[in-house]
Amino acid sequence: GPRVRTDIVDVYVFRRVAGGLIEFLLLERASEPLKGAWQPVMGHVERGERAEETALREMREEVGLAREDAAVVGFWALEQTYPYFVPQIDCIVLSPRFAVEVASGWAPTLNAEHSGAKWARVNAAATLESADMNQFHWPGQKAAVGEILREFVRKK
């Protein structure tokens, strides 16, 4: 049967823009197994690395963002881990997830792992059922966005 992996970390970078909108950074994968998929910052845990360390390293490598950058407004661990299946590698993945709020004018500097970047807009006041969640491919991405909106955006 499929293997279970816990060595992949997701980082949801978001920013607040005018009109109560929240933008989430999505990156287009340049190579297999997920070539062409739009995802948050993602990466593999290296030997001896903690999940938070992986998240911070992947932010630097994939989009040029360091925790100490002036553009970073906040950095949080998300509580929920959502399992998903990747048929190309026959794995069930359980990813620790993190959220990073950046200043509204911040823009990513992509590395070679990505062929594009875009900002997916969500109305902060909308319920998840009424928000445009079609921009996110998988239920786990939608769940992470929902948790970020509930726990970090609407409580501020």
mmCIF file of all heavy atoms in Angstrom, residues 16 29 47 53 57 70 84 88 108 112 119 126 128 133 145 149:
data_model
loop_
_atom_site.group_PDB
_atom_site.id
_atom_site.type_symbol
_atom_site.label_atom_id
_atom_site.label_comp_id
_atom_site.label_asym_id
_atom_site.label_seq_id
_atom_site.Cartn_x
_atom_site.Cartn_y
_atom_site.Cartn_z
ATOM 1 N N ARG A 16 -2.588 41.372 3.673
ATOM 2 C CA ARG A 16 -3.854 42.116 3.682
ATOM 3 C C ARG A 16 -3.769 43.214 2.630
ATOM 4 O O ARG A 16 -2.755 43.911 2.553
ATOM 5 C CB ARG A 16 -4.098 42.734 5.054
ATOM 6 C CG ARG A 16 -4.227 41.712 6.164
ATOM 7 C CD ARG A 16 -4.135 42.377 7.541
ATOM 8 N NE ARG A 16 -3.836 41.407 8.553
ATOM 9 C CZ ARG A 16 -4.740 40.853 9.365
ATOM 10 N NH1 ARG A 16 -5.999 41.213 9.282
ATOM 11 N NH2 ARG A 16 -4.378 39.964 10.264
ATOM 12 N N ARG A 29 4.589 24.847 -9.433
ATOM 13 C CA ARG A 29 5.710 23.907 -9.415
ATOM 14 C C ARG A 29 6.250 23.717 -10.832
ATOM 15 O O ARG A 29 5.492 23.535 -11.779
ATOM 16 C CB ARG A 29 5.279 22.560 -8.848
ATOM 17 C CG ARG A 29 4.937 22.610 -7.385
ATOM 18 C CD ARG A 29 6.180 22.714 -6.547
ATOM 19 N NE ARG A 29 5.818 23.242 -5.230
ATOM 20 C CZ ARG A 29 6.685 23.640 -4.332
ATOM 21 N NH1 ARG A 29 7.969 23.576 -4.587
ATOM 22 N NH2 ARG A 29 6.293 24.104 -3.174
ATOM 23 N N ARG A 47 17.553 16.114 7.374
ATOM 24 C CA ARG A 47 17.976 15.338 8.541
ATOM 25 C C ARG A 47 18.314 16.261 9.723
ATOM 26 O O ARG A 47 19.055 17.225 9.574
ATOM 27 C CB ARG A 47 19.182 14.487 8.193
ATOM 28 C CG ARG A 47 19.770 13.768 9.422
ATOM 29 C CD ARG A 47 20.622 12.667 9.029
ATOM 30 N NE ARG A 47 19.642 11.642 8.637
ATOM 31 C CZ ARG A 47 19.927 10.488 8.124
ATOM 32 N NH1 ARG A 47 21.148 10.162 7.891
ATOM 33 N NH2 ARG A 47 18.986 9.626 7.804
ATOM 34 N N GLU A 53 11.993 24.916 11.546
ATOM 35 C CA GLU A 53 13.244 25.243 10.857
ATOM 36 C C GLU A 53 13.102 25.008 9.353
ATOM 37 O O GLU A 53 13.597 25.796 8.544
ATOM 38 C CB GLU A 53 14.392 24.405 11.417
ATOM 39 C CG GLU A 53 14.731 24.730 12.852
ATOM 40 C CD GLU A 53 15.652 23.708 13.490
ATOM 41 O OE1 GLU A 53 15.628 22.515 13.094
ATOM 42 O OE2 GLU A 53 16.401 24.103 14.406
ATOM 43 N N ARG A 57 13.531 27.800 6.430
ATOM 44 C CA ARG A 57 14.498 27.573 5.354
ATOM 45 C C ARG A 57 13.817 27.611 3.984
ATOM 46 O O ARG A 57 14.316 28.244 3.045
ATOM 47 C CB ARG A 57 15.211 26.227 5.557
ATOM 48 C CG ARG A 57 16.203 25.903 4.430
ATOM 49 C CD ARG A 57 16.915 24.576 4.644
ATOM 50 N NE ARG A 57 16.017 23.477 4.917
ATOM 51 C CZ ARG A 57 15.264 22.842 4.016
ATOM 52 N NH1 ARG A 57 15.286 23.224 2.744
ATOM 53 N NH2 ARG A 57 14.501 21.819 4.364
ATOM 54 N N ALA A 70 11.867 42.871 7.507
ATOM 55 C CA ALA A 70 10.901 43.887 7.941
ATOM 56 C C ALA A 70 9.507 43.626 7.383
ATOM 57 O O ALA A 70 8.510 44.032 7.980
ATOM 58 C CB ALA A 70 11.383 45.268 7.526
ATOM 59 N N TYR A 84 -3.316 14.131 2.720
ATOM 60 C CA TYR A 84 -3.648 14.097 1.298
ATOM 61 C C TYR A 84 -2.811 13.029 0.605
ATOM 62 O O TYR A 84 -1.741 12.656 1.069
ATOM 63 C CB TYR A 84 -3.490 15.469 0.638
ATOM 64 C CG TYR A 84 -2.103 16.062 0.693
ATOM 65 C CD1 TYR A 84 -1.210 15.903 -0.362
ATOM 66 C CD2 TYR A 84 -1.687 16.817 1.790
ATOM 67 C CE1 TYR A 84 0.055 16.464 -0.329
ATOM 68 C CE2 TYR A 84 -0.432 17.380 1.834
ATOM 69 C CZ TYR A 84 0.441 17.196 0.782
ATOM 70 O OH TYR A 84 1.687 17.745 0.823
ATOM 71 N N GLN A 88 1.219 10.106 -7.789
ATOM 72 C CA GLN A 88 2.453 9.986 -8.564
ATOM 73 C C GLN A 88 3.576 9.320 -7.767
ATOM 74 O O GLN A 88 4.470 8.710 -8.343
ATOM 75 C CB GLN A 88 2.936 11.357 -9.066
ATOM 76 C CG GLN A 88 1.984 12.041 -10.013
ATOM 77 C CD GLN A 88 1.028 12.991 -9.297
ATOM 78 O OE1 GLN A 88 0.617 12.747 -8.160
ATOM 79 N NE2 GLN A 88 0.641 14.062 -9.967
ATOM 80 N N PRO A 108 7.427 38.108 -3.853
ATOM 81 C CA PRO A 108 8.390 37.015 -3.768
ATOM 82 C C PRO A 108 9.495 37.094 -4.822
ATOM 83 O O PRO A 108 9.296 37.639 -5.904
ATOM 84 C CB PRO A 108 7.526 35.770 -4.007
ATOM 85 C CG PRO A 108 6.414 36.254 -4.878
ATOM 86 C CD PRO A 108 6.146 37.673 -4.411
ATOM 87 N N ALA A 112 14.397 28.357 -8.782
ATOM 88 C CA ALA A 112 14.165 27.539 -9.978
ATOM 89 C C ALA A 112 13.108 26.455 -9.791
ATOM 90 O O ALA A 112 12.687 25.847 -10.771
ATOM 91 C CB ALA A 112 15.479 26.897 -10.415
ATOM 92 N N TRP A 119 -1.176 35.692 -6.546
ATOM 93 C CA TRP A 119 -1.845 35.948 -5.273
ATOM 94 C C TRP A 119 -3.315 35.585 -5.430
ATOM 95 O O TRP A 119 -3.999 36.130 -6.291
ATOM 96 C CB TRP A 119 -1.698 37.406 -4.864
ATOM 97 C CG TRP A 119 -0.286 37.778 -4.517
ATOM 98 C CD1 TRP A 119 0.630 38.351 -5.334
ATOM 99 C CD2 TRP A 119 0.355 37.592 -3.261
ATOM 100 N NE1 TRP A 119 1.810 38.538 -4.663
ATOM 101 C CE2 TRP A 119 1.673 38.082 -3.372
ATOM 102 C CE3 TRP A 119 -0.042 37.060 -2.029
ATOM 103 C CZ2 TRP A 119 2.591 38.054 -2.333
ATOM 104 C CZ3 TRP A 119 0.870 37.042 -0.983
ATOM 105 C CH2 TRP A 119 2.162 37.527 -1.134
ATOM 106 N N ALA A 126 -15.850 36.869 4.379
ATOM 107 C CA ALA A 126 -16.702 35.824 3.808
ATOM 108 C C ALA A 126 -16.580 34.528 4.600
ATOM 109 O O ALA A 126 -15.531 34.222 5.165
ATOM 110 C CB ALA A 126 -16.314 35.574 2.356
ATOM 111 N N LEU A 128 -16.281 30.464 4.655
ATOM 112 C CA LEU A 128 -15.565 29.589 3.738
ATOM 113 C C LEU A 128 -16.483 29.075 2.638
ATOM 114 O O LEU A 128 -16.052 28.852 1.516
ATOM 115 C CB LEU A 128 -14.929 28.428 4.485
ATOM 116 C CG LEU A 128 -13.751 28.824 5.366
ATOM 117 C CD1 LEU A 128 -13.105 27.602 5.969
ATOM 118 C CD2 LEU A 128 -12.728 29.628 4.596
ATOM 119 N N MET A 133 -13.007 29.763 -3.016
ATOM 120 C CA MET A 133 -11.961 28.814 -2.647
ATOM 121 C C MET A 133 -11.532 27.953 -3.829
ATOM 122 O O MET A 133 -10.715 27.064 -3.680
ATOM 123 C CB MET A 133 -12.438 27.939 -1.492
ATOM 124 C CG MET A 133 -12.721 28.726 -0.221
ATOM 125 S SD MET A 133 -11.271 29.612 0.349
ATOM 126 C CE MET A 133 -10.864 28.620 1.744
ATOM 127 N N VAL A 145 -6.398 27.676 4.696
ATOM 128 C CA VAL A 145 -6.830 29.062 4.482
ATOM 129 C C VAL A 145 -7.928 29.418 5.481
ATOM 130 O O VAL A 145 -7.909 30.494 6.083
ATOM 131 C CB VAL A 145 -7.294 29.274 3.026
ATOM 132 C CG1 VAL A 145 -8.026 30.601 2.867
ATOM 133 C CG2 VAL A 145 -6.105 29.191 2.085
ATOM 134 N N LEU A 149 -7.771 32.401 8.274
ATOM 135 C CA LEU A 149 -8.778 33.460 8.358
ATOM 136 C C LEU A 149 -9.399 33.519 9.745
ATOM 137 O O LEU A 149 -9.543 34.605 10.320
ATOM 138 C CB LEU A 149 -9.867 33.250 7.305
ATOM 139 C CG LEU A 149 -9.439 33.429 5.849
ATOM 140 C CD1 LEU A 149 -10.581 33.059 4.912
ATOM 141 C CD2 LEU A 149 -8.956 34.843 5.587
#
